[in-house]
Each structure stands twice: as C-alpha cells, then as structure tokens.
C-alpha cells in the first residue's frame, strides 16, 4: 500500500470550484464564478511541513515497483492520483482539480523564488506562428494549431548560480618587428611568459535541475528576467504542472562553472595580453566561489507530430520565446536552393549579354 | 721556460711582419707596374688635362695588331671617308695587341679621345677597338657625342655585337670590321644598323599616299606558304572592298634600334596603305620569335573607331591563343574573322567557348550563393543548442586582471627572401653594355663589347 502524502488545493471561497493562477491577470481566478483574488490576499495554510529525504526520494523514483509510487487522494472527487516523485503540482485527471503537493516543496525542498507565468497558453499558437514564420525549409503542412499536442505549462526547477571566478592564468605571448636587409626581410620575434591574476563575477546564471528535461532546450530558452522573480508561493502553481529538482546544486554546479570559465577565460584573453602580437593560454586555474539558489521558472512544453515523428518544443513562459528543432523538407530545400542559384546565375548571364551589347 | 716563450713570441711576430712586408712590396710592385707600364706613344702624360683636337688627316683605320690585309684596310678607309663626308660624323677602327692594363672600354675611348677624332664640339663619332691580347681578346664599340650616343641604345648595341661576334670568333676580322662600318653608316642614316634599304632617312617627313597595287599580305620571313598567302590575300581584298577599309597583314622583322610602332607606321605610310582621305586602315603586325609570335594591331583614320576598348581586349585575347603557339596563319585568319564581324556589327564577337565559360561561371557562382542561402536557412531550423558561455550573466564592471609577470624568454629570428625589383638591362649572349662611362680624360661615352 502506498503512503498518502500532503496536498494543497486552491478552492474558490465563493463557489468551492478549483482556482488557478491566471498569468494575464496575475491573480488567482475561479473558472466557474469568475471570482479572483490577489495572490497575496490570504496566507495559504500549507498542510504539513515535513522534511523530505532526497536520497530516499531518488531511490523511490528509480524503483519502478508500482506499490512504491506516491499516491494522492484528490480532495474534490476522491480519486487516487499517482504523481512521479519529482512532480509537485498536477491536475486531477478526473475532475481537473489543481493539486499542489506541498510536502514535496517544503523545508529544504521549498524553492526560494519563482517567476510566474506571463504568457498564457492561448498565446502559444501565435507565438509558434511567429517562430516558424521565417523558417524557409519547413514542410508546408508542418504546423497548425490543432497539431500542438500535450501542451503543458510547467514550472521547471532551476538552480541559479551567482559568484566569482578567481585565479591565475599563464600565457605564452610574442612581439614581432621586421626590417629589410638587402633582399631579405628579417623578422625578430620576442617570446614572453605572462602571468595574470583574474577575477570575474557572475550573477543569476540559470541551470535546469531536472533530469527529465532536455538541457539544451532549456539553455536555448534563456534569458529569463530575474527582476521579475518573486518569493515562492504555492498559489502560483495552481493550474500548472510543477517539478522539483532531482539534480542537486553540487551535481549541477560543474555545468554552471564550465560556462563561467569559458567567459572568464575569453575575457582574460582579450584584456590580459594587450600589447602582444600573439598569445596562447598555457596553464593556470580559475577557482569558483559560487552560491546557488533554487527557483522555479515558467516553461510551456508541447509536441508536434509530423510524418510519424514527434518534435519537441518549449516556450519561455515569461518572454514567450519559442525553441525547438524543426524538420527540413528535402523538396522545399532543393527548390529553395535552385531558385536562388537560378536567380543569381540568370542575373550574371543577363549582365554578360548586356555588357556584350553595351560595351564595345 | 719563460725565455723560451718570449723567444717563440718574438719569432712569430717577426715572421708575421715579414710576410706583411713582402705582401706590401708585391702590391706596390703590381701597382707600380700598372702605373708605369709602357703606354703607346700617342698616350698623353696628363690624360686628365688633355686638350682635345680634330685631325682630319689622321688615319681612320689603325691596325696595330696587324689583323687586316692591306686590301681590307684600303676598303675600310675608303668607305669610312665616304661616310664621313655624308654624315659629318667620325668612324674609326683600331686594333692593338694589348690594352696596356686598361679595360678595353677605357682604352677604346682613350684612343678616340687622344688622337684627334670626332666632329663638332661634342666630337661625334664611333670607334671600334679589337684587342688581340692573349687572355684579353675581344672587341669594344664606343660612341661619343650626344647624337651618336642617343642612337647607341642597348638594343642597337646588342644587335651590332651579335653580328660582329660571328665574324670575330671565326677570325674574319676584316670582313667583320667592314660590315661594322656599313652598319654604323646605316645606323646614322636610318636610326637602325639593319634598317632595310627602303627605310627612309632619319627625320624624313613621309607623305601619305595610296598605292592600290602594294601587297596586302606581306612577310619578311618565309613562314606562310604560297597557298596561305593567296588565301589570306583573297580574304583581305574581299573584306576591304566590302567595308571600304584597307587591311594589311605583315609578318615583320623589326630592325634593332627602331620601335615597332615607329617601324610599322613608317611601313604603312611609305608603301601607300590606307583608303580615302583619312587613309583609313587596319594593320595586323606579327613578329615571330623562337617558340611564339608577338603581335600588334594598328588602326588609321576612321578605322580607329572599329574596336572599342572591350573589343580590342577581346580581339587580343583571341589572337593570343593562336600566336602564343606560333600559329601565324591561324592567327591571321582569326584576325580577319573578328575584323569582319567588327566592321559589320561594331563589336568583336565572343566565341562559343567564351559564352560557355560565362555560363559555367554563372552557374558556379549561383550554386555557391544558393548554398550560402540554404546553409543559413538550415541553421535557423536547428537552433536548439547548449549554451557554452555565461556572457549574459557576467557583471560588466567585475572583470579584474592584474599583471603579475611578463617574463622575457628569448628572441627568434627568421629571414624571408624577397628580392627588390631592380630594372635590369638584358644583354645578349655575354655582351656588356654601358650607357655611360668615362675614358681616362674624363669624357663620357656609351659602349658595348664582347670577348671572343
């Protein structure tokens, strides 16, 4: 028998229907009676603040035995709902009630902040249209609103890294001068070894903390405007799916530090060797002193099926930026190529003919 | 031990000084030999302050080396006298068994300067010196005076030397000298030592006239066969008649000393080419060389408008294909074809190959541009990529770089051969040409010569 967990359900105080967070109005609204309230109007009583054992959760997550999966009882209809270990908010598949699993986001699991959705799901077709507008090699029949499948607004867990990289870098550098001696050009190259102390600071570098989401896809949705981050409140989760991290900050940190290092070394390369003709980094090390905080960022995900293949897309729920790889139609590609090649060749031949008649 | 060392040191010094002394004596002896070597009687004691004079009666053939026969000497003197009277320029031939330690060029100039040769204040004239000294056998031609030196160009000098050398190497000294005298005479008369007989005198004003009977296809060399000559002539006459424009195809030998433009222009005018009052016509001049031919196209009168710049360039490109392989007949045929087309349409036709080349080039460029467009469009189709850097998250004013050390390690040096372009004067087969040099008196001459 699976263990029952603690849940929070946002109910309309007027009619008792489920409420959800409306990104357009930035309020909690009731779909039934249209009642709405500011998200900070009432404190939410979170049922249970049990601490969460990450290790056992991981073990639980990898244990595919059904009796070990967490089961939740929907307060509206009484249905038993199974949620993956990392999922912290979901919709009851029977009565569409919005359920937030508060104990999964309490204590150490509680996000420090959240950027609420600003883009509503109704805006997605238009965003998608804008996205593929200039994609010349797309199959003509690729996109239509009705083909967007499994549209899900999900709060994706991210670690936000801030801190400093500091260290010492070494370079081999040269200076050159040339002069002529008879029929020879003589070049003298002076070689140097340089040592530079470098420090660079970074702020708000996001790295997604969910193993089930494609990292490259999440990277491509950047940037998120961190100025719109607000303190976490579970009421923002109403109406959306939410996941909590399944990769800790320590596990994720190397990805963030790698990106920071790339920027720091490039910055150092361009500034540290001014006055030298050539330079090449030969050694040294930058050490990171970074901190991470855990927040949820808004992302829509959906699939488009085309000719038997599923194409995954994501939309930045704050900025509306769409990302996803598109298929290339071979016929369209060939036509695109021949048309342009033909136009250029045609213009060149026409010019040849004009030149022949005009210029004697 | 110490005494032994001192003795060794002194001995070494003594030997060294002795060797140095002996070398000095040898150098001194050599210089003294040069300075005090016996000079010929005509040589002045103070060459630098010599007063020049003119001796009308001095012999113009002085054979101190005794290499000419009496008959040859007489023939040379007679011919030189005729030329001196015609030209009022001096011509001297001088042979000797030695140059008395002097360079042949200087000795030649000195003989001319110190023996009363030369006409006018500038002592105009030419001198040929043949040196029969063992180990120093050779000849030198020097010219004196502004006019004589101006026509003594490097090309003329090389041509004279080439011809004279053939005589000298076969010991035909008298024949060679006589031929040289004739060539100098022609040089003075016509500006080239090998100008043909018909070539007018220098400075002659040619009057344009029209001679319908002169050959329109003409060659100085035996390159075209009779059939080819006839075929070309027929075509030339047909095109000339149809378009009222004279045409000349001339496989020419351009004598040394004359520019091609000058020679062809003189040929055109002297022999009476050109139609109408403006003597309009087109000339294809072909100059055969060893493995290929060079060519020039000339237009006269209204024919100047036949080819525009583009057409002229295109014509030269077409002709180069043939003449680079010394296909003179084919080149002439090609010339007539393009000329006829230009007379008919106003432009030189492009070949099918040329159009094909343009088409291929257009397709290649089109394909390349098309590929660029496709690549750019394709890159937009797969935009998902992991971020490699954190540029967006770097705090701009947070970058701090401190110079800790700049340690000099060493210097490497590399050399690249990049010769400076210098103007070079090519000389034929070992000839040395000097556009200006001085004799012992300090007077200036031009000269060239060769060893044999």
């Amino acid at each position: 028998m699976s263990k029952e967990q603690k849940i929070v359900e946002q109910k309309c105080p007027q009619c008792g229907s489920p409420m959800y967070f409306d990104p357009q109005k930035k309020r909690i609204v009731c779909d039934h009676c249209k009642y709405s309230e500011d998200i900070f109007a009432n404190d939410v009583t979170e049922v249970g603040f049990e601490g969460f054992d990450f290790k056992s959760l991981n073990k639980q997550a990898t244990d595919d035995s059904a009796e070990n999966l967490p089961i939740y009882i929907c307060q509206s209809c009484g249905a038993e709902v199974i949620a993956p270990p990392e999922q912290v908010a979901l919709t009851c598949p029977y009565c569409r009630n919005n359920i937030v699993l508060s104990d999964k986001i309490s204590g150490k699991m509680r996000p420090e902040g959240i950027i609420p959705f600003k883009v509503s799901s109704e805006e997605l077709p238009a965003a998608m249209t804008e996205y593929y507008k200039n994609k010349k090699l797309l199959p003509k029949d690729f996109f239509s609103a009705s083909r967007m499948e499994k549209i899900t607004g999900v709060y994706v867990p991210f670690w936000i890294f801030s801190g400093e990289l500091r260290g010492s870098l070494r370079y081999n550098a040269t200076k050159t001068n040339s002069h002529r001696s008879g029929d020879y050009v003589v070049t003298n190259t002076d070689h140097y070894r340089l040592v530079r102390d470098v420090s660079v600071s970074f702020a708000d570098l996001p790295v997604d903390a969910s193993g089930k989401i494609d990292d490259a896809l999440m990277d491509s949705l950047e940037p998120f405007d961190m100025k719109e981050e607000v303190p976490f409140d579970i009421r923002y989760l109403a109406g959306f799916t939410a996941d909590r991290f399944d990769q800790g900050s320590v596990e994720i940190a190397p990805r963030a530090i790698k990106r920071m290092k790339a920027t720091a070394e490039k910055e150092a390369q361009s500034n540290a060797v001014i006055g030298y003709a050539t330079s090449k980094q030969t050694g040294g090390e930058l050490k990171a002193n970074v901190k991470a905080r855990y927040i949820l960022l808004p992302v829509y995900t959906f699939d488009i099926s085309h000719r038997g293949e599923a194409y995954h897309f994501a939309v930045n729920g704050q900025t509306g930026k769409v990302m996803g790889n598109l298929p290339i139609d071979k016929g369209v590609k060939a036509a695109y190529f021949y048309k342009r090649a033909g136009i250029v060749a045609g213009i060149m031949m026409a010019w040849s003919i004009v030149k022949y008649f005009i210029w004697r | 031990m110490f005494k032994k060392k001192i003795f060794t040191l002194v001995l070494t010094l003594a030997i060294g000084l002795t060797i140095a002394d002996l070398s000095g004596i040898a150098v001194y002896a050599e210089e003294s030999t040069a300075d005090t070597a016996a000079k010929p009687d005509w040589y002045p004691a103070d060459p630098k302050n010599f007063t020049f004079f003119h001796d009308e009666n001095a012999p113009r053939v002085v054979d101190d080396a005794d290499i000419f026969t009496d008959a040859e000497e007489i023939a040379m003197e007679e011919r030189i006298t005729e030329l001196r009277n015609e030209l009022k320029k001096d011509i001297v031939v001088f042979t000797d068994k030695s140059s008395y330690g002097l360079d042949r060029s200087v000795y030649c100039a000195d003989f001319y300067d110190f023996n009363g040769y030369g006409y006018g204040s500038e002592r105009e004239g030419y001198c040929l010196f043949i040196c029969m000294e063992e180990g120093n056998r050779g000849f030198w031609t020097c010219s004196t005076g502004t006019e004589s030196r101006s026509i003594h160009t490097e090309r003329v000098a090389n041509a004279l030397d080439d011809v004279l050398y053939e005589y000298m190497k076969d010991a035909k000294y008298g024949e060679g000298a006589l031929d040289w005298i004739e060539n100098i005479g022609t040089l003075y008369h016509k500006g080239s030592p090998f100008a043909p007989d018909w070539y007018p005198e220098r400075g002659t004003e040619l009057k344009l006239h029209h001679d319908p009977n002169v050959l329109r296809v003409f060659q100085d060399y035996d390159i075209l066969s009779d059939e080819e000559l006839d075929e070309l002539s027929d075509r030339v006459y047909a095109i000339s008649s149809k378009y009222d424009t004279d045409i000349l195809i001339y496989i020419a030998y351009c004598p040394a000393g004359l520019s091609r433009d000058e020679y062809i222009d003189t040929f055109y005018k002297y022999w009476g080419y050109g139609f109408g009052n403006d003597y309009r016509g087109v000339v294809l001049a072909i100059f055969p060389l060893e493995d290929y031919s060079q060519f020039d196209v000339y237009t006269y009168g209204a024919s100047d408008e036949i080819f525009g710049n583009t057409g002229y360039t295109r014509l030269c490109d077409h002709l180069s294909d043939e003449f680079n392989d010394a296909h003179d007949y084919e080149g002439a045929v090609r010339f007539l074809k393009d000329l006829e087309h230009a007379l008919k349409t106003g432009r030189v036709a492009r070949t099918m190959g040329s159009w094909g080349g343009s088409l291929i080039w257009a397709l290649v460029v089109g394909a390349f541009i098309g590929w660029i467009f496709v690549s750019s469009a394709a890159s937009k189709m797969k935009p998902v990529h992991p971020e490699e850097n954190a540029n967006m998250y770097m705090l701009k004013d947070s970058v701090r770089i401190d110079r800790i050390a700049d340690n000099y390690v060493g210097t490497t040096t590399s050399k690249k051969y990049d010769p400076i372009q210098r103007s070079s004067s090519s000389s034929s087969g070992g000839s040395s040409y000097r556009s200006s040099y001085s004799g012992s008196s300090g007077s200036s001459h031009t000269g060239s010569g060769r060893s044999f």
Side-chain angles (χ1 to χ4, degrees):
Chain A
M1 189 72 176
S2 297
K3 185 177 166 187
E4 288 185 14
Q5 306 294 331
K6 301 285 170 67
I7 59 175
V8 166
E9 298 176 354
Q10 191 76 10
K11 297 281 191 170
C12 177
Q14 287 191 343
C15 67
S17 296
M19 298 185 78
Y20 65 92
F21 175 74
D22 185 329
Q24 308 265 299
K25 295 176 185 170
K26 293 187 178 55
R27 293 165 69 84
I28 307 291
V29 300
C30 172
D31 224 4
H32 186 252
C33 69
K34 305 303 175 196
Y35 170 79
S36 70
E37 65 184 30
D38 187 79
I39 195 158
F40 295 111
N42 298 308
D43 287 332
V44 170
T45 302
E46 294 179 2
V47 178
F49 284 89
E50 294 177 17
F52 226 83
D53 182 351
F54 182 74
K55 277 188 185 169
S56 65
L57 177 65
N58 256 351
K59 183 178 177 307
Q60 203 169 15
T62 56
D63 188 339
D64 57 0
S65 166
E67 62 189 23
N68 288 320
L69 285 175
I71 293 176
Y72 304 90
I73 307 296
C74 176
Q75 299 298 306
S76 285
C77 65
E80 287 186 344
V81 179
I82 297 174
E86 65 278 2
Q87 195 163 13
V88 304
L90 62 150
T91 301
C92 175
Y94 301 101
C95 69
R96 310 304 302 165
N97 186 28
N98 298 317
I99 302 170
V100 176
L101 308 173
S102 63
D103 54 352
K104 284 194 180 181
I105 49 169
S106 59
K108 289 179 185 175
M109 299 295 118
R110 182 185 173 83
E112 291 173 56
I114 185 169
I115 293 181
F117 273 89
K118 267 178 92 171
V119 176
S120 68
S121 58
E122 287 79 26
E123 295 172 71
L124 292 184
M128 194 59 188
T129 303
E130 188 63 30
Y131 178 62
Y132 79 82
K133 198 165 63 173
N134 289 324
K135 305 298 188 286
K136 307 286 184 189
L137 308 183
L138 202 60
K140 298 281 181 262
D141 61 344
F142 178 73
F143 180 75
S144 67
S146 60
R147 299 183 72 178
M148 290 171 68
E149 297 165 4
K150 299 186 215 165
I151 299 175
T152 309
V154 57
Y155 281 103
V156 177
F158 275 78
W159 291 105
I160 306 298
F161 290 88
S162 300
E164 184 189 49
L165 256 62
R166 177 193 286 269
S168 188
L169 296 177
R170 295 192 298 276
Y171 301 87
N172 283 348
T174 63
K175 289 182 183 176
T176 59
N177 65 77
S178 300
H179 65 274
R180 178 170 278 278
S181 174
D183 282 339
Y184 288 86
V185 174
V186 180
T187 302
N188 292 319
T189 304
D190 297 332
H191 298 269
Y192 293 84
R193 286 210 184 98
L194 313 181
V195 179
R196 300 284 183 267
D197 276 355
V198 177
S199 75
V200 185
S201 296
F202 298 86
D204 296 336
L205 167 61
V207 181
D208 82 270
S210 173
K212 72 176 189 185
I213 288 185
D214 180 28
D215 293 340
L217 191 56
M218 291 299 107
D219 284 355
S220 300
L221 288 180
E222 291 177 24
F224 288 88
D225 184 1
M226 293 299 173
K227 292 195 204 65
E228 294 189 358
E229 181 187 341
V230 297
F232 176 74
D233 189 303
I234 59 170
R235 281 175 289 187
Y236 287 112
L237 305 184
F240 298 100
T241 307
D243 288 345
R244 64 156 186 76
F245 70 83
D246 57 12
Q247 293 170 317
S249 60
V250 173
E251 194 180 336
I252 294 292
R255 271 174 59 198
I257 291 170
K258 185 181 169 192
R259 287 176 63 177
M260 290 178 185
K261 262 193 183 170
T263 295
E265 284 175 358
K266 187 181 165 213
E267 205 59 34
Q269 179 82 34
S270 60
N271 291 307
V273 293
I274 290 172
Y276 291 90
T278 66
S279 63
K280 185 183 169 188
Q281 188 177 331
T282 55
E285 195 185 357
L286 291 175
K287 287 193 176 149
N289 180 14
V290 295
K291 288 181 183 168
R293 51 196 184 79
Y294 165 45
I295 73 170
L296 299 179
L297 296 180
V299 174
Y300 285 104
T301 63
F302 58 90
D303 292 344
I304 293 180
S305 297
H306 183 258
R307 293 181 194 170
E309 274 200 54
Y311 294 88
H312 309 296
F313 292 86
V315 181
N316 184 321
Q318 180 192 32
T319 63
K321 180 180 179 183
V322 180
M323 264 299 149
N325 287 333
L326 294 162
I328 294 176
D329 187 297
K330 285 184 182 167
V332 170
K333 183 179 176 182
Y336 187 78
F337 169 79
Y338 286 121
K339 186 175 173 185
R340 274 141 192 84
I343 287 170
V344 171
I347 289 172
M348 286 185 67
M349 276 312 296
W351 177 237
S352 262
I353 294 168
V354 165
K355 255 187 1 179
Y356 174 69
F357 284 104
I358 290 181
W359 291 350
R360 293 179 56 247
Chain B
M1 191 68 181
F2 178 70
K3 281 183 185 173
K4 205 172 173 183
K5 280 188 181 173
I6 294 289
F7 174 74
T8 310
L9 179 64
V10 169
L11 184 64
T12 308
L13 276 171
I15 293 170
L17 284 167
T18 307
I19 292 171
D21 263 347
L22 286 171
S23 303
I25 290 168
V27 167
Y28 177 70
E30 194 181 321
E31 285 173 351
S32 297
T33 304
D35 286 343
T36 60
K39 289 282 196 302
D41 296 337
W42 50 264
Y43 213 91
D46 184 10
K48 290 270 185 249
N49 293 308
F50 183 79
T51 305
F52 299 115
F53 65 98
H54 176 72
D55 186 352
E56 187 67 22
N57 298 318
R60 263 56 184 174
V61 181
V62 178
D63 186 21
D64 286 351
D66 200 23
I67 58 174
F68 301 143
T69 64
D70 291 341
E72 285 170 344
E73 270 193 63
I74 293 168
M76 281 186 237
E77 280 283 6
E78 284 177 359
R79 187 57 185 137
I80 286 174
T81 303
E82 284 172 10
L83 287 170
R84 283 170 62 207
N85 291 336
E86 283 172 28
L87 301 166
K88 295 299 177 217
K89 303 286 190 295
D90 228 329
I91 299 174
V92 181
V93 176
F94 166 52
T95 75
D96 209 333
K97 292 175 188 163
S98 167
S99 63
Y100 298 91
L102 295 171
D103 191 82
R104 290 199 295 267
S105 61
V106 174
Y107 193 59
C108 178
D110 288 350
F111 180 80
Y112 187 90
D113 287 342
F114 299 144
N115 285 285
Y117 299 115
Y119 279 82
S121 59
E122 295 201 21
R123 299 183 298 112
E124 296 277 354
Y126 270 78
C127 180
L128 169 65
F129 167 51
I130 301 172
C131 180
M132 298 304 290
E133 186 177 3
E134 203 60 44
N136 186 28
R137 200 164 285 190
F139 61 83
W140 187 267
T141 299
C142 90
S143 57
T144 311
T146 303
E147 187 185 341
S148 302
R149 291 177 65 193
S150 71
I151 57 175
H152 198 183
T153 63
E154 187 176 358
R155 195 157 166 252
V156 165
N158 289 339
L160 283 169
D161 289 350
D162 285 344
V163 170
L164 188 57
Y165 176 77
E166 293 302 317
Y167 288 105
M168 296 294 120
K169 73 178 176 62
D170 293 336
K172 295 177 183 174
Y173 307 117
E175 277 181 62
L178 269 164
D179 192 50
W180 179 88
I181 293 166
E182 285 301 325
N183 293 336
I184 295 298
T186 309
L187 174 62
Y188 269 122
H189 278 301
K190 301 187 179 181
S192 165
F194 309 111
D197 294 338
W198 62 266
Y199 202 84
E201 297 278 318
R202 276 192 305 146
T204 303
E205 189 84 24
L206 283 174
K207 271 193 170 173
L208 284 165
H209 66 283
H210 177 65
D211 184 352
N213 298 318
V214 71
L215 291 174
R216 260 62 188 176
V217 181
F218 189 78
Q219 56 179 359
D220 287 337
Y221 300 89
D222 212 9
I223 289 178
L224 300 177
S225 66
D226 291 339
E227 290 78 22
E228 288 170 341
L229 281 170
D230 290 339
E231 212 174 296
L232 287 173
S233 296
D234 290 341
R235 277 209 74 191
V236 161
Y237 280 113
I239 298 170
S240 290
S241 312
K242 189 173 179 184
Y243 296 102
D244 195 30
T245 299
D246 207 349
I247 301 170
L248 165 64
I249 296 177
Y250 178 25
I251 300 180
Y253 164 71
C254 181
L258 299 172
S259 72
R260 284 178 180 169
D261 291 354
E262 188 185 352
Y263 179 71
I264 298 299
D265 192 58
T266 304
F267 188 91
Y268 186 87
K269 291 173 179 169
Y270 184 87
W271 291 106
Y273 293 97
F275 288 176
N277 295 334
D278 59 342
Y279 297 92
R280 60 187 169 277
V282 182
V283 179
L284 170 66
I286 304 166
F287 304 97
L289 297 171
E290 226 170 272
D291 297 325
Y292 66 101
S293 298
Q294 292 178 336
F295 67 91
D296 283 312
V297 175
Y298 302 88
T299 55
Y300 294 87
S303 300
D304 288 342
E305 303 302 315
I306 292 176
F307 306 114
N309 289 338
T310 304
Y312 184 78
T313 305
R314 199 175 288 148
L315 173 69
C316 291
D317 287 343
H318 294 167
L319 298 181
S320 294
D321 292 340
E322 301 293 352
F323 289 121
N324 282 346
D325 294 326
H327 296 156
D328 294 339
Y329 171 72
E330 290 81 1
V333 168
R334 188 61 210 251
F335 166 75
L336 289 174
K337 184 179 172 190
D338 283 344
L339 175 61
E340 188 175 11
H341 191 276
L343 287 166
K344 185 177 172 185
T345 66
R347 59 181 55 81
V348 175
R350 287 183 66 172
T351 61
M352 286 306 294
S354 166
W355 284 114
S358 289
L359 178 63
I360 289 171
W361 179 238
L363 290 173
V364 166
V365 173
F368 178 69
I369 301 291
W371 173 78
I372 290 177
F373 271 101
V374 165
S375 298
S376 172
S379 69
K380 289 179 187 168
M381 303 296 284
K382 311 280 180 204
V384 175
H385 63 277
E387 282 293 333
E388 300 294 336
N389 60 62
N391 294 348
M392 281 189 285
Y393 308 99
M394 182 181 73
L395 296 173
K396 280 280 182 271
D397 297 329
S398 70
V399 178
R400 191 174 156 172
I401 296 171
D402 295 323
R403 288 190 162 204
I404 302 302
D406 286 51
N407 298 322
Y408 171 72
V409 174
T411 300
T412 55
T413 301
S414 65
K415 272 180 165 183
K416 184 180 159 192
Y417 183 62
D418 183 20
I420 299 168
Q421 293 298 323
R422 297 179 180 89
S423 58
S424 58
S425 65
S426 58
S427 57
S428 69
S431 283
S432 304
Y433 175 74
R434 294 166 73 178
S435 60
S436 183
Y437 73 97
S438 298
S440 299
S441 66
S443 66
S444 296
H445 304 269
T446 298
S448 78
R450 197 187 291 188
S451 301
F452 58 83

